[in-house]
Each structure stands twice: as C-alpha cells, then as structure tokens.
Amino acid sequence: MNGALSFHDLTVGYGGEPVLHHVTFALEPGEIVALLGANGAGKTTLLRTLAGFVRPRSGTIRLDGDDLARLSPEDRARRGIAQVPEGRSVVAELTVDENLRLGSLWRHRGRARDVAVAEVYELFEPLARRRASDGHQLSGGERQMLALGRALVSRPRVLTLDEPSLGLAPLVVAQLMATLRDAAARDGMTVLLAEQNITSALSIAGRGVVLDLGRVVADAAASALADDTALRHAYLGF
Ligand code: ATP
C-alpha cells in the first residue's frame, strides 16, 4: 500500500505573519479527508505547500515516510501527487480529448495513454459524449469534471482538490463527489479535499480536518464533525 501522507508541525507564511501554524495531521493510504474552514483559513496554502509551490518555514511533509522538503514541484508530481486547483483550469482552445491527453503526457505513452483516457471516459459519461467539444463550450460542471479527469489520467497516489464544488449546481456537485469517491476507491488513491461546501465534502470523506486562522481546531470522523453543533457554529458557519 502507498499514498500515506503526513503533515508535521508545519508553519507557513508569505513574508509577514505565518498563515499556517504548527499544522499536524495525517492521511492513511486510500483515505479521503475533507479539509474544512472559512475563507482565508489556509486551505489553499496547505495544498500549495504540499505541491511544492510554497516553502514551509518549519515542519515536514512526508509521503510514504519520505520527507518532501528537497523535492521540486515536478519531482512531487512524479512521486504521484496531483492537484486540481481552484478555478477549473482547462485549456479552452483544446478539445476534451486533447485536454485529457495533456494530463497523461509525461506518465503514459501510446496505448497506455489511450487506456488512461478511456478510463476517465468510463468514470465521466458526460465527458465521453463531449470528447470532441472545445473546453470553452463546456458547462461549469463539465469543466470541473475535465479538470478532475485530467488529474486522474496520471493515476496519482495522492490527489488534492481545491473547492471543486464552487459555483456548481447541487446535483452536479453530487455527481462530481460520487465520481471522485469511485475513482479513489478504484485506484486506492489518497484524497485531500479542500471545501467550503462542508455537507458535500463530508458526504464522501471518512474524516475532516478543520482549520481556523491557520490552526487545526478539529480532526475527527466525518460523522462526528457533522454532529458537533458547537464546532459547526464556531468554525464552519452552519
Ligand atoms: P480561500 O477559500 O479564500 O482560498 P483558504 O482557506 O484557502 O481560503 P488561503 O488562500 O490559504 O486560505 O489564505 C490564507 C491566508 O494567506 C489569507 O490571509 C490570505 O490573504 C493569505 N495569502 C494567501 N496567498 C497569499 C500570497 N500569495 N501572498 C500573501 N498572502 C497570501
């Protein structure tokens, strides 16, 4: 088994005061963890630090026991850490198929690439129907599926997603979450899902970690978080 990810005593800032303070939590291989918290809590910063875009001031991140500190963003991608950043970034001028192939460029060649792309179409039927459409012709939900599909073709061990539900209709969000859960189960992928849409994140996550002003204020089973009224009121706004 692989895909065990841990954050230990991580402090991160952009120059002034740190925006993450001594963040410590871990994900078991194949686990889906929701990273929750209000706007500005530090969710995006944590995902960007994992990707290697931001250097921590102190603390460590380990993947399967290996410290990632010295690894470039490219090295981390090669180790199997993939991201779906906020904003459904797909190439508007390319077709769905071309966008997906782009995602598998460095990982697969020839037939292996065809197989990887075909697997994504199996997961996302709407994408299969629109494979020849350009990115700019897609709906918001289809663009988010494509952004997720493009990350999946590289068969990541660890996948992070930053607010994938933002701006999508509830039905589309439900479909997206179900597909993410299926993909994670199929591949044994470890998933860190940053969301403000707590209900949908907790619907597929086994556990949730709540950040408030850059500190971990809760780390518990999804069901326990959903039932904790005081915590929900204090940090999650519902
Ligand atoms: P959001 O949902 O708005 O993305 P978030 O929980 O992901 O919120 P971050 O985006 O990580 O939070 O922001 C945490 C804090 O870090 C905020 O106070 C933000 O202003 C600050 N911050 C984020 N990016 C930068 C940057 N590039 N330079 C300076 N400060 C930043």
Side-chain angles (χ1 to χ4, degrees):
M1 267 302 231
N2 55 33
L5 181 68
S6 66
F7 301 91
H8 181 72
D9 206 16
L10 204 64
T11 295
V12 183
Y14 294 97
E17 279 292 295
V19 299
L20 291 176
H21 303 264
H22 308 290
V23 168
T24 300
F25 67 97
L27 294 88
E28 299 285 331
E31 194 180 21
I32 302 180
V33 171
L35 183 61
L36 306 171
N39 241 337
K43 304 181 296 295
T44 301
T45 299
L46 186 72
L47 301 187
R48 291 170 55 80
T49 309
L50 170 63
F53 305 153
V54 184
R55 238 172 222 297
R57 291 192 189 168
S58 59
T60 47
I61 306 177
R62 291 180 187 276
L63 177 60
D64 297 325
D66 296 337
D67 188 345
L68 300 181
R70 292 181 183 281
L71 299 187
S72 66
E74 185 183 334
D75 290 336
R76 295 177 197 217
R78 288 189 190 283
R79 291 275 180 115
I81 300 174
Q83 309 110 51
V84 181
E86 196 171 338
R88 308 168 205 156
S89 54
V90 304
V91 184
E93 295 79 4
L94 298 182
T95 65
V96 166
D97 212 61
E98 288 164 341
N99 268 283
L100 287 178
R101 282 166 187 281
L102 212 54
S104 73
L105 214 52
W106 59 275
R107 198 72 188 241
H108 309 290
R109 290 172 196 282
R111 168 115 187 87
R113 182 172 306 161
D114 294 341
V115 170
V117 171
E119 283 175 357
V120 169
Y121 286 137
E122 266 172 43
L123 279 171
F124 295 102
E125 270 180 32
L127 286 187
R129 285 198 297 273
R130 308 219 58 181
R131 66 176 74 195
S133 301
D134 286 344
H136 65 81
Q137 296 174 305
L138 304 181
S139 68
E142 289 166 341
R143 279 209 303 280
Q144 188 66 72
M145 282 180 200
L146 181 53
L148 172 55
R150 199 173 53 187
L152 291 177
V153 288
S154 70
R155 282 294 183 117
R157 287 197 283 167
V158 173
L159 180 69
T160 73
L161 302 99
D162 198 354
E163 306 267 359
S165 75
L166 206 67
L168 300 182
L171 206 62
V172 178
V173 173
Q175 194 184 8
L176 189 77
M177 292 294 164
T179 309
L180 176 60
R181 185 186 51 208
D182 291 349
R186 187 194 65 183
D187 297 348
M189 191 169 63
T190 307
V191 177
L192 185 55
L193 170 63
E195 263 295 351
Q196 288 196 51
N197 187 337
I198 294 139
T199 315
S200 66
L202 291 182
S203 74
I204 64 162
R207 205 154 55 82
V209 171
V210 182
L211 285 180
D212 181 55
L213 298 174
R215 293 176 203 275
V216 174
V217 291
D219 177 348
S223 53
L225 287 180
D227 292 343
D228 189 335
T229 318
L231 180 103
R232 286 196 280 117
H233 285 327
Y235 301 114
L236 303 174
F238 80 114

